[in-house]
Amino acid sequence: MTAAERAAAAQPLWALVLPRDRARYLRRAAMAVLDELDELADLLADEAGQPRSEAMLAELLPSVGGLHGLANDGPAALADRRLGPVPALRAGRRSTLVQSPLGVVGVHVRDESSWAGPLLEVAAGLLAGNAVLLAPAAPRAAARMQSAFTRAGVPDELLQVV
């Protein structure tokens, strides 16, 4: 079974989890990153070739803040919304914008950000109820990213590093 097939098989159950509950997984992933902050800084310094302090200040700490921001604001952004006034011809009818997961989404990582950008794109995909295929520029960092989400309780199949 391919990574895409594993992700597609796991996604429908994940889509049933409410966005506010999926947000809890993002908060737990932020804690997993904080738990391994020193090790991750060393890994990013080695794999991405950036100074350890830059890895910490430009990648790791912003990613923790970003995870909390997504967890705080994401459920409201994903909520169904009643649309504004309807034309007279449709009087008495209601229109609602319903947000629903796409299924499996891909994140292709550019070289500029080996951690924060990809992590937040993955987190946004998961928060929206999707499974994610991650094509990393930094494979060891991607493996640790996957580990952080797994430690947070996200099922392994939902985030596939390809």
Side-chain angles (χ1 to χ4, degrees):
M1 187 180 274
T2 68
E5 291 170 336
R6 287 191 302 275
Q11 186 275 331
L13 187 58
W14 181 248
L16 296 175
V17 177
L18 296 173
R20 71 172 182 263
D21 296 327
R22 293 190 297 251
R24 290 186 189 129
Y25 290 94
L26 269 57
R27 288 187 186 91
R28 288 186 212 139
M31 291 304 299
V33 171
L34 286 174
D35 287 346
E36 299 178 0
L37 202 59
D38 287 328
E39 293 171 33
L40 289 171
D42 290 338
L43 173 81
L44 292 178
D46 180 52
E47 190 168 39
Q50 60 190 159
R52 188 177 188 282
S53 59
E54 182 181 324
M56 186 82 71
L57 295 173
E59 297 283 345
L60 295 169
L61 294 176
S63 72
V64 170
L67 285 170
H68 282 288
L70 280 171
N72 292 339
D73 300 336
L78 294 170
D80 295 347
R81 284 191 283 275
R82 186 166 177 205
L83 300 177
V86 295
L89 294 176
R90 295 182 52 212
R93 295 185 184 174
R94 294 183 183 175
S95 296
T96 303
L97 174 65
V98 177
Q99 310 254 5
S100 59
L102 295 172
V104 179
V105 298
V107 173
H108 178 68
V109 180
R110 300 170 306 280
D111 290 332
E112 301 96 52
S113 174
S114 57
W115 184 266
L119 179 89
L120 296 177
E121 289 181 35
V122 165
L126 292 171
L127 181 63
N130 299 302
V132 179
L133 299 178
L134 173 62
R140 290 186 300 153
R144 292 300 289 271
M145 192 179 301
Q146 184 179 33
S147 172
F149 282 107
T150 300
R151 284 186 53 210
V154 173
D156 290 337
E157 298 81 13
L158 287 175
L159 173 56
Q160 297 286 317
V161 178
V162 294

